[in-house]
Amino acid sequence: MKIGIFEVREDEAACLRQIQEELGFEALIRPEPLTLENVGLLEGCQGLSTLGQSQLNRELLSKVRAQGVTCLTTRTIGYNHIDLKAAKSLGIRVCNVSYGPESVADYTIMLLLMLLRNYKPALYRQNVNDYSLTGLEGRQVKSLTVGVVGTGRIGMKVMEELSGFGCRILAYDPHPNERAKQYGSYVPLEQLWRECDCITLHAPLTPENHHLVNQKTLACMKDGVILLNCARGPLMDTEAVIQAVEEQKIGRLGMDVIEEEEGIYHQDRRDDILKNRRMAYLRQFPNVVMTQHMAFYTQEAVQSMVEGGIHNLWGMLQGETIPGQLC
């Protein structure tokens, strides 16, 4: 049996070799995303595994199926880069992976602390031997009301970690989690927008919550609100967010993801001309901290994603029913 594995990073290689030896399959291992230009490499493959940079729309999936692929896994939690309706109609089984929520939850708390203590402007000053304190006064987490939008495994872990700081925690999720209630109170989304000093997003991207943070919802928030997004870029309307930063409606902003990050994040583009003006503009603000979609990126999470992606793919190819299979 042959499996095509695309977007393979160096940190995944050792784990992939170990799994290949364990299961005994032939592997086509490529570092680049799967595209219409290189889909022919899949000839003879029954399975395919990618990360999130491969945009698996109907046209590409049709080509994938024509090469003989019947099963597909993404080594990510998110799967908005896959057209599931097209995959189902083409007879391709699809599965994603999961990993422990600690990596993203820890990163979210780190971003919050960096923003609260003005780490970015402080670092800039230190680099030019400016050790003044004017304008760097911070705030304590304990003094905040923090809103968590989305209380799945990651959102609930964020609530758990925040509870240790002694802050007030509000939450919203269309499907409330009983366990999360020990850390905070569920409220309507409109109340969360209105009452929270800090709002952190941990919802999956769906058609219903695309641009959840927009001009209208921002207007409902407190002046100087702190926003965090370690989930998916399109949960925020970037143009509306830029305007809110400029008008100081947003006091501090932490973004590990952004709209149209595909083809930029997770790649070395030092010598290239980037075509994401909004990203370039946002990152210059002293009260904005942006990172390259790396909240998940720990040794523990990477190993879990590789193991889950390949073992799930192998199971589907053997005809097994995989828990959480998408189609």
Side-chain angles (χ1 to χ4, degrees):
M1 187 173 294
K2 186 177 181 181
I3 294 174
I5 309 174
F6 282 72
E7 300 181 67
V8 176
R9 302 187 306 262
E10 290 183 6
D11 54 79
E12 296 182 305
C15 188
L16 276 174
R17 286 194 298 270
Q18 182 178 347
I19 297 172
Q20 186 180 1
E21 292 176 4
E22 172 193 339
L23 299 178
F25 59 84
E26 181 183 353
L28 167 72
I29 296 178
R30 305 291 301 186
E32 73 272 19
L34 182 69
T35 65
L36 289 170
E37 287 68 34
N38 63 16
V39 68
L41 294 173
L42 285 173
E43 184 178 1
C45 291
Q46 292 79 45
L48 166 66
S49 177
T50 74
L51 291 173
Q53 298 295 319
S54 298
Q55 299 301 301
L56 300 168
N57 55 28
R58 177 174 291 274
E59 183 180 9
L60 182 53
L61 286 171
S62 297
K63 300 287 187 181
V64 166
R65 186 66 183 88
Q67 300 299 327
V69 171
T70 59
C71 297
L72 158 68
T73 60
T74 176
R75 303 186 304 283
T76 60
I77 290 180
Y79 50 85
N80 52 289
H81 55 291
I82 305 172
D83 186 337
L84 294 180
K85 290 183 179 179
K88 185 175 182 179
S89 68
L90 292 164
I92 301 175
R93 300 172 70 186
V94 181
C95 191
N96 64 342
V97 298
S98 63
Y99 52 87
E102 292 82 5
S103 297
V104 177
D106 292 354
Y107 201 90
T108 301
I109 302 300
M110 180 196 73
L111 275 183
L112 174 58
L113 292 172
M114 290 173 67
L115 290 166
L116 286 177
R117 301 310 297 270
N118 295 303
Y119 173 76
K120 183 178 177 181
L123 179 63
Y124 284 173
R125 291 189 194 184
Q126 186 182 48
N127 287 337
V128 294
N129 290 336
D130 178 356
Y131 302 103
S132 61
L133 294 178
T134 304
L136 296 182
E137 185 178 47
R139 296 189 64 185
Q140 295 180 355
V141 180
K142 183 179 181 179
S143 67
L144 305 179
T145 295
V146 181
V148 179
V149 179
T151 58
R153 295 193 312 144
I154 292 174
M156 190 173 68
K157 189 64 179 179
V158 169
M159 293 177 69
E160 178 187 345
E161 295 189 5
L162 281 171
S163 67
F165 289 89
C167 57
R168 178 184 180 221
I169 303 173
L170 302 181
Y172 171 80
D173 195 297
H175 307 287
N177 185 327
E178 287 299 318
R179 287 181 57 204
K181 292 180 180 179
Q182 63 184 303
Y183 305 117
S185 303
Y186 279 102
V187 297
L189 193 53
E190 295 75 14
Q191 181 180 346
L192 186 146
W193 297 144
R194 187 174 63 249
E195 296 186 11
C196 289
D197 304 295
C198 171
I199 297 168
T200 179
L201 305 180
H202 299 286
L205 179 63
T206 66
E208 292 74 26
N209 63 23
H210 182 267
H211 284 182
L212 180 66
V213 174
N214 54 53
Q215 195 170 37
K216 182 179 179 180
T217 55
L218 281 163
C220 300
M221 300 177 193
K222 288 185 176 183
D223 291 341
V225 66
I226 303 164
L227 290 185
L228 303 171
N229 188 2
C230 289
R232 286 293 180 269
L235 291 173
M236 288 181 165
D237 179 344
T238 311
E239 288 293 342
V241 166
I242 288 174
Q243 182 178 347
V245 173
E246 291 175 331
E247 296 174 354
Q248 300 183 51
K249 179 69 176 184
I250 295 175
R252 296 173 172 91
L253 175 65
M255 300 177 67
D256 185 52
V257 291
I258 191 170
E259 291 185 285
E260 300 175 3
E261 67 183 48
E262 296 82 7
I264 299 176
Y265 283 1
H266 300 178
Q267 298 184 36
D268 185 350
R269 301 290 304 274
R270 279 176 289 184
D271 298 324
D272 301 333
I273 302 297
L274 301 185
K275 298 180 180 180
N276 192 326
R277 297 181 182 183
R278 295 177 297 181
M279 181 185 74
Y281 185 59
L282 261 178
R283 68 187 179 196
Q284 54 88 27
F285 289 108
N287 58 340
V288 175
V289 174
M290 296 177 64
T291 53
Q292 58 265 47
H293 201 148
M294 58 180 289
F296 75 96
Y297 196 49
T298 62
Q299 292 180 4
E300 295 84 355
V302 168
Q303 181 173 345
S304 179
M305 293 162 76
V306 173
E307 290 177 349
I310 304 306
H311 281 288
N312 286 348
L313 183 58
W314 182 258
M316 289 192 297
L317 288 168
Q318 303 304 313
E320 299 173 10
T321 300
I322 306 300
Q325 187 173 311
L326 300 172
C327 73

